[in-house]
Each structure stands twice: as C-alpha cells, then as structure tokens.
C-alpha cells in the first residue's frame, strides 16, 4: 500500500465555498500543501500539527494530536489562513509515531495592566501640609494573534480629585488575511491619525479607520472620526469629544515602494465645534521619486478655498552622510483640516546636512526665508537667515566633546 502523503493545492482550499476553509487530517498522517513562493508557516495551537517547509512551493503538515487548529501560510499573495481538524483514523491500523517537525507557534493572548499616580501637597510646614490634588491613571490592554488578524485592544481610565472617567479606548485588527490584499488594517474608536503635512497633520479622533494595500499597486486609507478634547480634566465639565468631525481619504500608487510612490489626499470637516479659523475642505497631490542611486525627490501641492501651498525636497544620502534641500511656500491664509501648518506664512529654502561616524557626528542647518504672516514691523520685506549646528567628537571611550552654534538674523 502506498503510504506517501497526498498533495492538495492551497488555492483550492482558500477558494472553496466552506465557511472555514480547511481540511481534515487523520492522526499520525501527513499531507503536502502546495502553493507558490511560500515563505513562512505558523500554527496557532502548539502540539496539534507539525509543519515544515520542504521547498518554496511545498509545505509538509503532520497530524500530532487530535483537535483543531488554524494554520497561517505566507506566500506571494500574502497571508492565508486554513483550518485543520485532526481526527482518529477510520481503521485500527497501527498509528505512526509523530515525527518532530520545525513549526513555529503563536504566543497566547497577553493581558497587561499598568498605572501611574501623582499627587501635589502644599503647606507652610508640618501639619499644615495638605494634599491639593491627585491624579491616578490605569491602563488595561489585551493583544494577540487570531485567525482573522492581530487583535489589540486598550482602555485607559483617569481619576482626578475623585472624578473618574474612561479617557481612551480602542480596538484594532491588523494584517487581516483577505485574498488579493496585503496589510488590511481596521481600527475602531480612539486613534491618532494623519494624512500629510498640508492636508491633515496628526490629530486625536474617535471613529472608524481602515487602510489596505491591494497587490502592491494601490493603497487606500479611509478616516471617519470625531475630534477628541486634549483638556478634559483641566476644564471641569469639558467633554472628551466635541461636535467636530473629519472625513478623509488617501489613495496611493505603489504603496509598498518606500522610494517611489504617489498619492492623492482629500479631507473635509463638519460640525458646529469645528474651529472657524480652519478650512473645511482641502486636497493635495503628493509624490516621491528616486533619482539615480543616491537622490530622492519629494513634493506636495495642496489647495484649500482660494489659497494653496507647496513643499518640495531633494535628499542625497551616501553611507553615513546625508544632505537635503527643502523648499516651502506656505500661504499666510492657508490652514489644514486639523490645525495650522508648520511654517505658516513662510516662503523659504532650508539646507540640512548630517554625518554620523564612529568618532565624529554632526549636523548643520541653514534656513533662508521670508515671513508674510509675522513680518518685521521695521522691514516687512526682510529676508531672514537662521543657522545652527552641532558637532560631537569622541576622544576616549567615556569622553567626548560637544560644540553647538546658533545664528538668527530677522
């Protein structure tokens, strides 16, 4: 009788109409799972199945103990998850001993707890010293791998002078195994999110967020959230959230290429508490392109209402030396959806250089710009010159020299 293991195709399992794609495997038996460019295999429950990569296109799975477990396999299409149920043999034939196999097992879910406490006492002396205030913060977190992605959840409670509330809570599911996608991530409730410097710098939101990479060709990020207050306990009675909402999206071409990619960003805001000095609609075009071997070109152009702004940069890197030219043109009336942009009202050029070696490290920055928002009252058209630098020289193992310089001309 032929005892060689049967062979099944990974794609056939995934594409089946089963609610939970997978197969049954008799105790002590083996099966060969075939795919394309399989790089890693990961079993959820320790001891149920053994798995080892035979070659880039084949994985051997061995049934070690009765039960059921999920098996994650990474191939050229990303991660795929199948369910394997180990059952007793249909006959009383002699069971083969389970052979030792190279298998990686997931860690179980992990629960963590932490707290932080501080208090303030004041008084002239001795018995006159009384506690004036106290703050107590607790954080509860649970995280771990599931068949549907990596789960993380967290909640933080704050107590201030006897008043307590849940200040932060979040739930995330990362690297969801969905056919044809990579890095599908979903988050509910609280998060710090941003799009780009000229559309939506990072801000605290409570809502729903998702991003996905579709076959390394297109990346999509979607944001819908309510703004959160930063000063809940400073002003008694302040709500943790306000009636201000942001809807934003980002579409990226070639999202997996860290050197060359292009993006379109759009964001809008609504609600009676949206800051009146901030725009309600803004969009931008953003891109990065590698030039030759050592140069990287980047740029962003943004438009809101009737004003526009732009950024551009050229970076050179060779070994431990980096040098960059960065241009900015930020209209004095330009705002983003979530705050003022950096260098608002400035048009200028900055040249920065860094060097980092075993003995010598340093950085220099030269900035030449004109200010249109906060001008010099004696010379509104003045050109500003700023320069600063830092140099560290290692003399001995625990001895070094630091030199800094600063220059400002406005």
């Amino acid at each position: 009788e032929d005892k060689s293991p049967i062979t099944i195709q990974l794609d056939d399992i995934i594409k089946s109409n089963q609610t939970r794609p997978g197969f049954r495997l008799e105790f002590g038996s083996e099966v060969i799972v075939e795919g394309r460019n399989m790089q890693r295999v990961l079993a959820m429950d320790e001891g149920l199945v053994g798995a080892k990569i035979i070659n880039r296109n084949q994985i051997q799975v061995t049934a070690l103990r009765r039960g059921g477990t999920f098996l994650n396999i990474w191939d050229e299409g990303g991660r795929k998850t199948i369910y394997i149920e180990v059952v007793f043999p249909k006959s009383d034939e002699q069971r083969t001993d389970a052979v030792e196999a190279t298998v990686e097992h997931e860690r179980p879910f992990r629960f963590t707890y932490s707290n932080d406490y501080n208090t303030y006492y004041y008084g002239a002396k001795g018995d006159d010293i009384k506690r004036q205030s106290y703050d107590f913060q607790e954080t509860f977190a649970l995280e771990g791998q599931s068949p549907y992605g990596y789960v993380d959840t967290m909640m933080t409670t704050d107590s201030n002078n006897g008043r307590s509330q849940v200040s932060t809570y979040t739930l995330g599911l990362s690297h969801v195994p969905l056919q044809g996608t990579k890095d599908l991530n979903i988050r509910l409730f609280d998060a710090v999110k941003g799009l780009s410097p000229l559309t939506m710098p990072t801000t605290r939101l409570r809502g729903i967020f998702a991003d996905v990479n579709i076959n390394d060709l297109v990346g999509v990020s979607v944001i819908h959230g309510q703004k959160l207050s930063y000063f809940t306990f400073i002003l008694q009675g302040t709500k943790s959230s306000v009636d201000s909402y942001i809807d934003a999206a980002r579409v990226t071409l070639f999202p997996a290429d860290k050197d060359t990619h292009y993006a379109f960003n759009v964001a809008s805001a609504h609600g009676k508490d949206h800051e009146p000095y901030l725009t309600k609609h803004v969009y931008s075009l953003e891109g990065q392109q590698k030039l030759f071997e050592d140069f990287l070109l980047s740029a962003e152009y943004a438009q809101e209402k009737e004003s526009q702004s732009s950024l551009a940069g050229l970076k050179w890197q060779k070994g431990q030396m980096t040098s960059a030219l960065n241009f900015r043109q930020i209209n004095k009336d330009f705002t983003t959806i979530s705050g003022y942009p950096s260098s608002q009202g400035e048009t200028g050029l900055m040249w920065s250089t860094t060097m980092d070696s075993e003995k010598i490290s340093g950085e220099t920055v030269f900035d030449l710009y004109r200010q249109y928002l906060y001008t010099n009252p004696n010379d509104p058209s003045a050109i500003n010159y700023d320069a600063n630098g830092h140099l560290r020289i290692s003399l001995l193992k625990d001895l070094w020299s630091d030199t800094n310089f600063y220059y400002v001309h406005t």
Side-chain angles (χ1 to χ4, degrees), residues 71-92:
L71 191 70
N72 297 314
I73 299 174
W74 280 261
D75 64 5
E76 62 181 16
R79 187 178 71 174
K80 296 179 174 65
T81 301
I82 60 177
Y83 183 77
I84 301 176
E85 183 181 3
V86 179
V87 297
F88 285 129
K90 295 180 180 179
S91 63
D92 294 330

Side-chain angles (χ1 to χ4, degrees), residues 212-231:
V212 63
N213 174 347
I214 304 173
N215 292 327
D216 290 338
L217 294 177
V218 178
V220 179
S221 298
V222 179
I223 294 172
H224 170 73
Q226 182 180 17
K227 283 187 177 180
L228 296 176
S229 171
Y230 284 90
F231 308 106

Side-chain angles (χ1 to χ4, degrees), residues 5 69 160 162 183 193 202 216 222 290 341 348 360 366 387 390 410:
T69 184
N160 179 274
D183 297 326
K193 289 293 182 177
T202 54
D216 290 338
V222 179
K290 188 172 184 179
I360 300 176
F366 298 96
H390 170 251
T410 57

